[in-house]
Amino acid sequence: MKIRMNEMTPEGKILNRGEVVIGETALEIVQGMMARNPFASGQAEMAYMGLTLARLGEADHTLPDDPFAAAEAFLRVLRDRGLTSEVEDDLLAPITNVKVRLVGEDGNAWAILGRCRAAMRKAGYPQAFIDTFVTEATAGNYDDLLATVMRYVAVE
């Protein structure tokens, strides 16, 4: 099982640029998340999941007593909030569900950026999220732009 962590602020800014956690079970995924979180040091899995849900405003969400079932319920809440997505194959899925055609189109950086922005807008992504994408995409050179585009959208 592979889970991509898509943490975002309420404004839509990505905090964790799609890091992937791999595990055989949901509980191993939670343990992998904990290993990447310096504030989770020394916490038990159940405490970590409860505290994380409370921080997300889901404090009233009751987790099952069984750690494996609790981990599955916890990951379901994160997925439903858009904070994680399952990666089904070895190719890492883009952060969004947006598809943009680049092959046979104008390869100018601004043209590519414009097509991506328009597609994200059409798909209903918040303007703050799109602005974060633009900031990241324009922070480097042309290769960096293409890498950012491929991280955010499915390129056709």
Side-chain angles (χ1 to χ4, degrees), residues 35-54:
R36 289 165 170 76
N37 184 339
F39 301 107
S41 178
Q43 282 185 340
E45 290 90 354
M46 295 296 284
Y48 171 78
M49 291 184 285
L51 184 58
T52 301
L53 290 176

Side-chain angles (χ1 to χ4, degrees), residues 22-154:
I22 300 171
E24 293 294 319
T25 65
L27 187 57
E28 286 181 13
I29 296 289
V30 170
Q31 292 165 342
M33 291 173 153
M34 292 175 66
R36 289 165 170 76
N37 184 339
F39 301 107
S41 178
Q43 282 185 340
E45 290 90 354
M46 295 296 284
Y48 171 78
M49 291 184 285
L51 184 58
T52 301
L53 290 176
R55 288 182 180 149
L56 292 173
E58 299 275 349
D60 57 336
H61 190 91
T62 305
L63 293 172
D65 291 332
D66 174 55
F68 289 95
E72 288 175 7
F74 173 72
L75 291 178
R76 201 169 23 257
V77 170
L78 295 183
R79 185 196 63 229
D80 291 347
R81 301 260 328 237
L83 297 173
T84 64
S85 54
E86 197 162 337
V87 179
E88 295 187 16
D89 58 25
D90 289 337
L91 297 174
L92 297 178
I95 293 170
T96 69
N97 60 355
V98 175
K99 293 181 181 176
V100 176
R101 181 169 175 79
L102 293 184
V103 177
E105 301 291 329
D106 184 351
N108 175 285
W110 295 110
I112 292 170
L113 200 57
R115 281 196 301 282
C116 292
R117 290 176 66 201
M120 285 183 197
R121 222 177 283 119
K122 185 177 179 181
Y125 284 89
Q127 187 59 47
F129 178 88
I130 296 168
D131 292 344
T132 299
F133 160 73
V134 171
T135 300
E136 288 185 29
T138 58
N141 61 28
Y142 186 77
D143 291 334
D144 296 329
L145 170 102
L146 293 177
T148 301
V149 165
M150 290 187 286
R151 196 171 71 244
Y152 275 79
V153 302

